[in-house]
Amino acid sequence: MQPSAIRNPSDKVMQEFFQDTSPYAIEAIPLVVPRPEHGISRANISENALKVLYRLKQENFQAHLVGGGVRDLLLGHEPKDFDVATDATPEQVRQVFRNCRLIGRRFRLAHVHFGREIIEVATFRGTTTSDGDENDRQMENGRILRDNTYGTIAEDALRRDFTVNALYYNIADFSLIDYADGLEDIKAGRLRLIGDPEQRYREDPVRMLRAVRFACKLGFTIDPKSEEPLFRLGHLLADIAPARLFDELIKLFHSGYGLGVFEKLRQYGLFGQLFPATEACLAREDHGFPITFVSRGLANTDKRLHEDKSVTPAFLFGVLLWEPVRQRFEEYLAGGEAASEAMFLAASEICSRQQSLVAIPKRFSLPMREIWSLQPRLEQRDGKRPQRLVTHPRFRAAYDFLVLRADAGEADPELAAWWTRFQEASAPERASMLEGGGAKRRRRRPRRRKSGESAGAGAEATGPVDGG
Ligand code: ATP
Ligand code: MG
């Protein structure tokens, strides 16, 4: 790959750029790689993204593919989506495309719809700070609250997060434009923030989560200067809107690399910022079943995603929050509550604390709570209960959850095995299983009052426990 122009901005220049004092970056000379010298082919770009790019060009706007699409194509991965950057304003984009909707207040964007595919079209972001106009960039304590100041492609490039996300594929001549040494970092497998890392994390703390996600997804190492603040700045996540954190967590844990993400988030102390109650349990019992349970749950989710099977946030958050719920449940049981009431109280308590950090929409939190509330009910195998339970809409998820608990050494493996057999059994076989008195083999007695026993202790004796 022969560079047509070389540019090497020093860290100092970058820092000045981000303090909006230096005109340098606006005049920065990018590395431009002509079509024959890079591997991006139109054959690998979605037809709809190409339509958007060509149409904008036809209207005399600049149009580039940017972000994850370019990055993933260079790495030989299939891009998840295609993002377009242009000098057309969102309103101008809307005038060009009938199938277009403008979204976002914090960061105004145009979405061009083609059936199920959405091409995201962003206007180049600029660097001027707010003059009070509500459409401008607004800052608070170093954090960007709103960023709707438009600028040039050079400014846009340096406002992006990682160098590997700031590469542009120019539809005008099919060249690749690199303002931030992104190509070098792609080759080195390195994730590096553009500009001063701490300042960039403070501007938008979600970039810390994005660092973890891209490191896991791409198998890249995080450059030491970009990595170091991750250990210190996790507390900034408390300022992020809970709804945005929910969306980001789904991207993190439903990426197919959830287990790696979990381990990295814990390594940087970020997991505890997002799930303090869970982290407290994990920190106490680093080698016990809670960590095995979460790890296996995430590994299962990754496996399902790699097999193109469906996954749901209800199960994911059910797994991530189970240990604090279970501990509170045990405490309520010990205090004399009946199992169903104990579970209701424990779930309400943990959910309301969690909700202030990460907003789990009701359509996921309700089935999540059902999965939990079915756990003690799966222990009741007397009478007609099992027959009724298998018809419950959440039975399958609750059963999978029980199997996971048993595999992690927390629940009784015999109970999980009984339910496996029961589901597979014919009607007469089921009848004999029920007569066989499954209920008598119940380990826990959920309705017994004033129980001082912990289910965990017993389970550890019978089930496999992660020895680290
Ligand atoms: P993927 O789509 O594979 O998850 P992506 O890099 O395309 O990864 P998007 O969230 O689709 O990520 O964002 C598109 C591009 O917008 C990014 O590549 C990056 O250049 C820019 N971007 C997104 N979020 C931020 C952010 N918080 N700060 C700075 N730039 C961002
Ligand atoms: Mg993208």
Side-chain angles (χ1 to χ4, degrees), residues 234-249:
H235 61 95
L236 297 174
L237 289 172
D239 293 334
I240 303 299
R244 187 171 175 218
L245 281 183
F246 174 81
D247 291 345
E248 210 53 44
L249 283 170

Side-chain angles (χ1 to χ4, degrees), residues 67-68 71 80-81 160-161 165 204 207 210 213 217:
R71 178 196 69 216
K80 195 177 93 235
D81 49 32
R160 289 181 181 269
D161 49 4
N165 285 348
D204 182 5
R207 289 173 186 151
R210 289 174 61 86
R213 177 157 70 92
K217 171 178 157 163

Side-chain angles (χ1 to χ4, degrees), residues 11 14 18 158 160-164 180 185 190-202 204 207-208 210-211 222-223 225-227 229-230:
D11 280 356
M14 286 288 201
F18 283 103
L158 302 188
R160 289 181 181 269
D161 49 4
F162 299 95
T163 63
V164 297
D185 287 338
R190 182 170 55 215
L191 210 54
R192 199 162 52 87
L193 271 171
I194 298 172
D196 174 56
E198 176 156 350
Q199 189 182 341
R200 302 305 314 282
Y201 288 134
R202 286 187 181 278
D204 182 5
R207 289 173 186 151
M208 295 190 278
R210 289 174 61 86
I222 306 177
D223 187 62
K225 280 188 191 157
S226 297
E227 186 179 40
L230 296 176

Side-chain angles (χ1 to χ4, degrees), residues 312-363:
T312 165
F315 199 88
L316 171 72
F317 282 87
V319 167
L320 290 170
L321 295 170
W322 172 241
E323 187 53 23
V325 169
R326 191 191 68 78
Q327 289 191 6
R328 282 306 280 145
F329 168 70
E330 293 291 343
E331 283 163 17
Y332 278 117
L333 273 189
E337 296 293 345
S340 59
E341 183 65 9
M343 186 56 81
F344 177 82
L345 292 170
S348 304
E349 210 174 289
I350 301 299
C351 285
S352 75
R353 271 195 266 158
Q354 186 64 34
Q355 215 66 4
S356 65
L357 294 166
V358 179
I360 308 172
K362 275 225 165 60
R363 66 181 186 283

Side-chain angles (χ1 to χ4, degrees), residues 35-63:
R35 171 65 194 100
E37 293 167 26
H38 65 72
I40 293 188
S41 151
R42 270 163 291 165
N44 299 324
I45 301 174
S46 111
E47 260 177 51
N48 295 325
L50 286 172
K51 268 187 215 161
V52 171
L53 291 165
Y54 282 129
R55 191 69 217 288
L56 285 168
K57 177 175 169 258
Q58 208 177 24
E59 298 291 325
N60 293 318
F61 292 115
Q62 293 180 51

Side-chain angles (χ1 to χ4, degrees), residues 99-118:
N99 46 336
C100 175
R101 282 181 50 194
L102 302 190
I103 62 143
R105 260 166 58 83
R106 207 182 127 269
F107 196 91
R108 214 165 153 69
L109 288 173
H111 271 180
V112 187
H113 290 252
F114 297 89
R116 292 186 55 181
E117 189 179 12
I118 295 174

Side-chain angles (χ1 to χ4, degrees), residues 362-433:
K362 275 225 165 60
R363 66 181 186 283
F364 301 125
S365 64
L366 291 179
M368 170 182 81
R369 293 184 59 159
E370 279 184 305
I371 293 171
W372 292 339
S373 69
L374 286 174
Q375 297 308 303
R377 288 177 60 188
L378 284 165
E379 298 193 13
Q380 300 165 8
R381 286 176 280 170
D382 49 325
K384 293 205 163 62
R385 287 174 199 258
Q387 293 283 19
R388 269 206 307 271
L389 216 53
V390 285
T391 64
H392 191 288
R394 221 60 68 192
F395 170 78
R396 185 66 207 191
Y399 160 77
D400 287 343
F401 201 86
L402 173 68
V403 169
L404 198 61
R405 291 173 56 211
D407 283 350
E410 183 246 308
D412 184 358
E414 187 276 326
L415 178 68
W418 188 91
W419 279 105
T420 308
R421 285 200 310 279
F422 189 76
Q423 286 176 83
E424 290 162 357
S426 63
E429 283 166 345
R430 281 186 179 187
S432 83
M433 282 177 81

Side-chain angles (χ1 to χ4, degrees), residues 262-275:
F262 169 66
E263 287 166 352
K264 265 209 160 38
L265 288 177
R266 288 200 77 212
Q267 180 195 339
Y268 297 131
L270 299 173
F271 186 79
Q273 300 292 333
L274 300 164
F275 296 95

